[in-house]
Amino acid sequence: MPEDAFTYTVKLKRGAGDDVQKCKVTAPDIDTLQTRVEAVREKMGEWASDYREIQPDDRRGLADDQSELGEVGTA
């Protein structure tokens, strides 16, 4: 089986760290590549939404009685 003529890599990076997901898309022609890239971008967009919901555990939490950031007092 011959290799596809076109290759495209889609990357999804979370934050400033090394958390990167890559997806390599190949196709025998440009129209097929475009269709496949659009499908991958849509799927990775869903994954990006999932990633945004993940928060690190080491962040400072809000006080139990604090409902808004504006309620934080300064010392």
Side-chain angles (χ1 to χ4, degrees):
M1 184 168 147
E3 284 203 27
D4 288 329
F6 298 93
T7 302
Y8 188 85
T9 302
V10 182
K11 295 181 183 180
L12 176 64
K13 183 174 181 181
R14 182 175 185 255
D18 295 329
D19 192 2
V20 178
Q21 284 200 359
K22 298 178 191 175
C23 185
K24 182 177 178 181
V25 181
T26 62
D29 59 73
I30 197 73
D31 291 330
T32 304
L33 181 69
Q34 184 174 357
T35 301
R36 291 177 181 175
V37 167
E38 288 173 7
V40 167
R41 284 183 175 166
E42 182 178 328
K43 188 55 154 172
M44 289 186 89
E46 293 172 16
W47 294 338
S49 295
D50 293 342
Y51 282 170
R52 282 191 284 276
E53 293 178 15
I54 300 171
Q55 297 298 322
D57 292 332
D58 61 349
R59 66 186 174 117
R60 181 182 157 287
L62 297 175
D64 289 339
D65 63 346
Q66 180 180 341
S67 63
E68 296 181 10
L69 290 176
E71 295 178 15
V72 176
T74 56

